[in-house]
Each structure stands twice: as C-alpha cells, then as structure tokens.
Amino acid sequence: DARVTQTPRHKVTEMGQEVTMRCQPILGHNTVFWYRQTMMQGLELLAYFRNRAPLDDSGMPKDRFSAEMPDATLATLKIQPSEPRDSAVYFCASGQGVSTDTQYFGPGTRLTVL
Amino acid sequence: RKEVEQDPGPFNVPEGATVAFNCTYSNSASQSFFWYRQDCRKEPKLLMSVYSSGNEDGRFTAQLNRASQYISLLIRDSKLSDSATYLCVIDTGRRALTFGSGTRLQVQP
C-alpha cells in the first residue's frame, strides 16, 4: 500500500530555531506539494514541484521558508528562523501527471513554535 | 469573492439521515473537481472526483452544475463514521488545485 511519508510527525521548537521537514512521495509520482493548515486559514498551498523542478512557490514566505527536492524520493521544507506564527500542520502531497490531478497526502508534521 | 466557498457548518444530522453540501467556485473555466474527506487530526483523503455527468459511489453522490458554478455532495443513510470535514477541491485556473475551507459533518446516534 503505497503512501506518502513525512518526518517528523511532531516538532516543538523555540522561536528562532531552524526547522526541517521531510517528505517521501509515492514512488513514481512526479508532482510534490507542500501545504500548511491552520484553523484560521485552512489548507494553503506553499509550493509545488514537478519532476523535481519548483513550479510555484508563491504561497511561501521567501525570507524564511525554502523548499527543495534533492532527489525524486525526498522533498524538504525548511523554516529559518522559525516564528510562533509558523505553528501549523504541514502536509506534503504527491501526484502523477499534471498538478490538477488527484493528490495523495502524507500524515503531516505538526509544528509548534514557542 | 473567494475562489472556492463552502458553508463551514457544522451540519449535525441523525444516523440514517440524508445530508447535502454545496460548494461554489468563481472561475467558470475550472475543469477539475473533487471532494476530499478529512478526519480530525488526519490528512485529507480523496473521497471522489466529480464528473460533468455526475457520479455515484455507494451512498455518496457528487454532482457538478456548471451554469451555477457549484458542486454538490449528497450522503444518504448517514453513518457515525461519516463524521468528518468535507473539502471541496477545484482547479481555479492557477497551476494547482485550490482547497475549500471545508464543511464539518457530525452524525449523531
């Protein structure tokens, strides 16, 4: 049963610290998405990649967030420095084909910045 | 106007009831439509795609109304296990899908 995996599942850190979240997409999927979900804003798209190339990161605060795909089996989302307002659940999703096709979500990383 | 709008609910219904949710969208050129389900503290999961001709999967029926720019989800014979948040997901002309903020359903015994 292929699924998207994310690590860590939970992260508590202090303001100013660097946070790195990792995602392993489903093997063979060529599109990877990063989302952030909060009670206030719902699910927001931060960035996405197709064939490892970043296609859209307009939803991401550029000064502190960065997203990369060093290879086809790993996507990373980094926050440096972290702030309390970054507290949220960060989901990675992957899909095949174009970016408007079905997406499969990982279990998320629940981030708390104190 | 938001690109994708949903009534946040909650919809509180008794077991066995029929319940329907609508979701409106602003881009008339949208081509892809989905309903996802999200359980509390879990990830969203695809429930069903929505086709122009409508589609049915067991107790769930999804329909698309292009003229009025909305999609709907009908759940018949509600079960306790149907309690979740239902996310409307639409291609709004951006390069990726847009997720609605969700409609919460609570099925009560």
Side-chain angles (χ1 to χ4, degrees):
Chain A
D1 184 22
R3 49 183 75 183
V4 177
T5 58
Q6 288 186 248
T7 57
R9 295 291 306 276
H10 302 271
K11 176 73 176 178
V12 180
T13 191
E14 292 188 343
M15 183 173 64
Q17 296 298 305
E18 178 178 299
V19 176
T20 299
M21 292 169 270
R22 293 177 174 79
C23 166
Q24 182 172 10
I26 292 173
L27 190 64
H29 282 190
N30 62 349
T31 314
V32 175
F33 306 81
W34 281 106
Y35 292 90
R36 173 171 63 184
Q37 188 172 41
T38 61
M39 289 292 292
M40 296 299 295
Q41 298 295 329
L43 203 61
E44 304 172 276
L45 178 67
L46 297 175
Y48 74 95
F49 297 78
R50 186 164 184 218
N51 295 325
R52 295 178 55 202
L55 286 192
D56 188 344
D57 60 1
S58 58
M60 208 162 65
K62 303 290 191 307
D63 56 337
R64 299 183 301 107
F65 284 60
S66 61
E68 295 179 346
M69 271 202 81
D71 62 60
T73 63
L74 177 65
T76 62
L77 179 67
K78 190 174 293 186
I79 308 174
Q80 168 63 20
S82 57
E83 298 180 2
R85 60 181 166 148
D86 300 330
S87 298
V89 181
Y90 290 81
F91 288 107
C92 173
S94 71
Q96 289 176 303
V98 300
S99 55
T100 52
D101 283 343
T102 304
Q103 299 175 20
Y104 298 86
F105 283 75
T109 294
R110 187 170 295 273
L111 174 65
T112 303
V113 184
L114 303 173
Chain B
R1 181 184 174 188
K2 281 187 181 178
E3 294 175 298
V4 177
E5 290 203 67
Q6 294 185 252
D7 180 343
F11 284 58
N12 295 304
V13 302
E15 268 186 292
T18 295
V19 62
F21 316 129
N22 283 346
C23 167
T24 59
Y25 60 96
S26 59
N27 185 352
S28 60
S30 294
Q31 295 294 322
S32 301
F33 307 88
F34 307 90
W35 283 102
Y36 277 68
R37 170 194 168 128
Q38 186 172 23
D39 293 297
C40 189
R41 301 180 78 83
K42 297 284 191 180
E43 72 272 24
K45 292 183 179 177
L46 177 68
L47 179 64
M48 57 200 308
S49 303
V50 186
Y51 304 121
S52 296
S53 54
N55 49 311
E56 188 174 310
D57 183 3
R59 298 181 294 108
F60 297 82
T61 300
Q63 296 202 311
L64 167 63
N65 185 317
R66 284 195 184 274
S68 300
Q69 293 182 210
Y70 72 87
I71 64 171
S72 64
L73 178 67
L74 179 81
I75 305 175
R76 289 180 296 278
D77 188 22
S78 300
K79 311 290 185 193
L80 294 175
S81 57
D82 294 333
S83 298
T85 296
Y86 291 84
L87 303 170
C88 165
V89 184
I90 295 178
D91 155 30
T92 58
R94 297 182 181 221
R95 299 175 75 178
L97 297 171
T98 299
F99 283 72
S101 53
T103 296
R104 196 155 73 87
L105 171 66
Q106 185 66 49
V107 180
Q108 295 163 337

